[in-house]
Amino acid sequence: MTVTLRLALRDWDYMTPLVLGDVSSPRLKVVVDRVGTLISNVGTDSVFDAAEMSFSRYAQMRHDGDETVVGVPNFIMRGFRHRCIITAKDSLVRQLSDLAGKKIGVTGWRDSGNTWTRAALRREGVGVEDAMWYAGRLTKDHPITDRLDGFGRPGRIEAVPGERPMVDLLLEGGLDAVFTPFMPKGFFDKDSALRQVLDDYRSAEVDYFNDVGYVPGMHLIGFKAGVVHEHPWIMDELSDLLDASQSMWLEKREKYADTTPWMIDELRRCAADLSPSWNLNGLAANEKMIGDFARELHEQKILPRLLSPADLFPSQAASR
């Protein structure tokens, strides 16, 4: 009997083999729905059986004893964060330590990516109490919504005044830097008025990797608890399919490297700078990263209680 699983994912390129059916399972049919915005809660959603979800929001659910969602430590979105801090091209801010005492914009206070980016700043001596923070929309094309999520503190963490787009404030000098993994339109143009704070963010990220041993994970896969209860094998089966899709895509990218002029050089540099296991999934391969993220959530006062990797992924911990 083949079980059908409806899965909500963003458009990650390496999911193409899964979407096209190039990787498949005789007992699990995966129907992928492409979403631009993560669904709010797969545990109560009427459409999806599983979904890409924020690591921080999943951790909050585990902290609160909400067991409607069961997470699998397959980190569908990973990425270094040093590159995600932008400023105006003529800004005097050139190092992460220069952000002490500055005004920093974030697109969502508790977002997993922003939690990791603040962790990178903390490593350079700039903690939450060492800057003024504003949460808001990146550009006028983004929706106006609550981005503080209950974590606002007058004089330290506030909403952007008047819901002004943060890129506009950055260019006007109202903000000194903004955290964003998704660069605004025109950012990569030759005459862009914006730049990353770090000119050589790649070296900073390689140093970070050599120090901590991982690429931070932002999103994972969450399942409806009822689906897992009915089909206990389904988490491992989907995780294996996601890994197979990624592996096939990476092989094709090496073969068809002419999609951008210097992709072949980028592939060579990645192989030199990162260990072959940098994107392995599962609890054992990611235990240190998971523990560090839980510690950041606690240190940054997003979660009152420090969670362990076993608290976050109890079924995987029990099966070891």
Side-chain angles (χ1 to χ4, degrees), residues 68-86:
T68 59
V69 174
V70 180
V72 60
N74 190 302
F75 293 94
I76 198 78
M77 179 186 179
R78 295 178 186 263
F80 293 116
R81 309 311 293 175
H82 298 72
R83 68 190 63 193
C84 298
I85 311 173
I86 66 173

Side-chain angles (χ1 to χ4, degrees), residues 20-96:
L20 295 179
D22 292 337
V23 296
S24 60
S25 162
R27 60 177 180 167
L28 182 62
K29 177 184 178 182
V30 181
V31 178
V32 175
D33 282 74
R34 298 159 56 202
V35 295
T37 302
L38 300 185
I39 64 174
S40 59
N41 185 348
V42 69
T44 58
D45 190 87
S46 61
V47 176
F48 300 108
D49 304 303
E52 176 182 351
M53 67 181 298
S54 159
F55 192 6
S56 66
R57 293 186 183 275
Y58 172 72
Q60 182 74 61
M61 295 178 76
R62 295 297 308 171
H63 178 278
D64 296 344
D66 185 341
E67 298 187 354
T68 59
V69 174
V70 180
V72 60
N74 190 302
F75 293 94
I76 198 78
M77 179 186 179
R78 295 178 186 263
F80 293 116
R81 309 311 293 175
H82 298 72
R83 68 190 63 193
C84 298
I85 311 173
I86 66 173
T87 189
K89 183 169 284 186
D90 58 0
S91 170
L92 297 179
V93 175
R94 290 285 176 181
Q95 303 294 329
L96 299 191

Side-chain angles (χ1 to χ4, degrees), residues 50-215:
E52 176 182 351
M53 67 181 298
S54 159
F55 192 6
S56 66
R57 293 186 183 275
Y58 172 72
Q60 182 74 61
M61 295 178 76
R62 295 297 308 171
H63 178 278
D64 296 344
D66 185 341
E67 298 187 354
T68 59
V69 174
V70 180
V72 60
N74 190 302
F75 293 94
I76 198 78
M77 179 186 179
R78 295 178 186 263
F80 293 116
R81 309 311 293 175
H82 298 72
R83 68 190 63 193
C84 298
I85 311 173
I86 66 173
T87 189
K89 183 169 284 186
D90 58 0
S91 170
L92 297 179
V93 175
R94 290 285 176 181
Q95 303 294 329
L96 299 191
S97 58
D98 292 340
L99 289 171
K102 297 297 193 293
K103 297 178 179 179
I104 305 173
V106 295
T107 51
W109 183 256
R110 70 180 302 158
D111 292 354
S112 304
N114 290 332
T115 300
W116 278 118
T117 312
R118 288 192 298 270
L121 255 66
R122 290 206 320 128
R123 292 170 63 87
E124 301 301 322
V126 183
V128 171
E129 304 303 319
D130 300 315
M132 181 65 200
W133 304 86
Y134 294 92
R137 54 182 177 154
L138 186 64
T139 72
K140 63 180 179 59
D141 297 323
H142 291 83
I144 295 174
T145 185
D146 175 21
R147 298 174 186 272
L148 289 171
D149 207 8
F151 292 95
R153 283 192 284 136
R156 182 61 62 196
I157 308 168
E158 299 180 354
V160 168
E163 300 291 354
R164 295 279 314 282
M166 292 191 296
V167 166
D168 293 353
L169 288 173
L170 197 57
L171 295 174
E172 295 168 7
L175 290 175
D176 298 292
V178 169
F179 289 3
T180 176
F182 305 117
M183 299 306 157
K185 187 176 181 179
F187 181 85
F188 298 103
D189 293 350
K190 188 175 183 180
D191 59 351
S192 173
L194 301 170
R195 62 170 173 82
Q196 271 110 351
V197 163
L198 296 178
D199 290 330
D200 188 8
Y201 59 80
R202 186 189 187 104
S203 292
E205 291 169 352
V206 171
D207 289 344
Y208 176 88
F209 179 81
N210 290 335
D211 189 19
V212 302
Y214 55 74
V215 178

